[in-house]
Amino acid sequence: NSKVIQTPRYLVKGQGQKAKMRCIPEKGHPVVFWYQQNKNNEFKFLINFQNQEVLQQIDMTEKRFSAECPSNSPCSLEIQSSEAGDSALYLCASSRYKHSGNTLYFGEGSRLIVV
Amino acid sequence: GQQVQQSPASLVLQEGENAELQCNFSSTATRLQWFYQRPGGSLVSLLSNPSGTKHTGRLTSTTVTKERRGSLHISSSQITDSGTYLCAMEQASSFSKLVFGQGTSLSVVP
């Protein structure tokens, strides 16, 4: 059973509001991923970290999201100004290594509804 | 176009029947990983293999990377197998970043 902890499980925000989600990766896993899963079951990779360093991120994340993984604190993903299209399940995953071939362990997700 | 395509989109089985879920991908993949997603969110990793066949319990994953396809076989289905099965491919030098299909929704009925 995965021990990736995501909070909150649900959040409801108005358009233009900030929305912040947190993730505690599994112990001993320095690599953290964020994915967005929309209502059509489409997954979008957002960003990944190794410890505090960003490995990869998509353009949308760079422009509209603020994400970090500080040492000794939960990782976080924050949408600076929520839009209706941001309504989705945000999944955090962690793995032991950054190179290919590693199993990713997912949390339960944070479901964002933008009204 | 979509890089990972899964079929069928949905499937209804009677308890005890077998299921074969397909996954086709449009670019070179180093590995396919299968996940089960419970209603409500959490993804559970089922099987992961770069090529060939792998078994765990009632599940068998087969990956033929040269032909850009994979499959997940579920034998003797149970009602608790109901949920969404997701195929995800990993590309070389991608820092384990996965590209997901849209899933197969499986319902197992008595």
Side-chain angles (χ1 to χ4, degrees):
Chain A
N1 285 333
S2 174
K3 294 180 180 63
V4 176
I5 310 295
Q6 288 190 248
T7 56
R9 288 296 310 279
Y10 300 92
L11 62 168
V12 180
K13 295 291 176 182
Q15 293 193 48
Q17 287 188 314
K18 289 189 177 187
K20 190 166 187 174
M21 294 153 271
R22 290 177 177 82
C23 171
I24 300 174
E26 197 155 329
K27 197 173 179 181
H29 285 192
V31 185
V32 173
F33 300 77
W34 285 97
Y35 285 88
Q36 179 198 65
Q37 183 185 17
N38 68 18
K39 62 182 169 111
N40 297 321
N41 249 6
E42 293 161 338
F43 281 75
K44 185 183 288 183
F45 165 82
L46 297 175
I47 191 169
N48 56 356
F49 291 85
Q50 181 174 29
N51 297 312
Q52 294 82 56
E53 182 190 337
V54 174
L55 296 173
Q56 298 167 306
Q57 63 181 323
I58 62 171
D59 195 46
M60 177 181 85
T61 307
E62 198 167 358
K63 288 180 179 169
R64 297 184 50 242
F65 290 61
S66 172
E68 59 177 2
C69 272
S71 60
N72 302 317
S73 289
C75 296
S76 64
L77 180 72
E78 184 174 37
I79 305 173
Q80 296 301 301
S81 178
S82 300
E83 299 172 358
D86 295 329
S87 296
L89 181 68
Y90 290 82
L91 290 158
C92 175
S94 71
S95 75
R96 194 177 291 277
Y97 306 108
K98 72 176 182 185
H99 58 70
S100 299
N102 285 287
T103 299
L104 269 61
Y105 296 90
F106 283 81
E108 302 263 345
S110 291
R111 188 169 294 280
L112 170 65
I113 298 168
V114 181
V115 297
Chain B
Q2 193 146 2
Q3 287 187 278
V4 180
Q5 291 192 317
Q6 290 188 244
S7 60
S10 62
L11 184 60
V12 180
L13 295 177
Q14 279 208 306
E15 201 174 3
E17 287 184 325
N18 299 333
E20 185 91 7
L21 312 181
Q22 304 294 333
C23 179
N24 292 279
F25 42 98
S26 60
S27 55
T28 306
T30 56
R31 187 171 66 114
L32 279 193
Q33 192 167 350
W34 288 92
F35 291 88
Y36 167 71
Q37 187 169 30
R38 301 185 187 102
S42 177
L43 268 71
V44 175
S45 178
L46 298 174
L47 284 162
S48 171
N49 57 322
S51 65
T53 300
K54 218 171 174 184
H55 305 274
T56 183
R58 295 181 293 106
L59 303 176
T60 302
S61 163
T62 300
T63 303
V64 186
T65 41
K66 282 185 183 177
E67 295 178 17
R68 299 185 179 175
R69 62 177 175 86
S71 64
L72 180 71
H73 183 87
I74 305 171
S75 62
S76 304
S77 60
Q78 300 175 359
I79 292 171
T80 50
D81 293 335
S82 299
T84 301
Y85 289 80
L86 293 151
C87 168
M89 76 165 185
E90 185 180 325
Q91 295 169 301
S93 305
S94 66
F95 297 131
S96 295
K97 187 175 79 175
L98 297 173
V99 179
F100 285 84
Q102 288 184 261
T104 293
S105 176
L106 175 65
S107 296
V108 183
V109 298

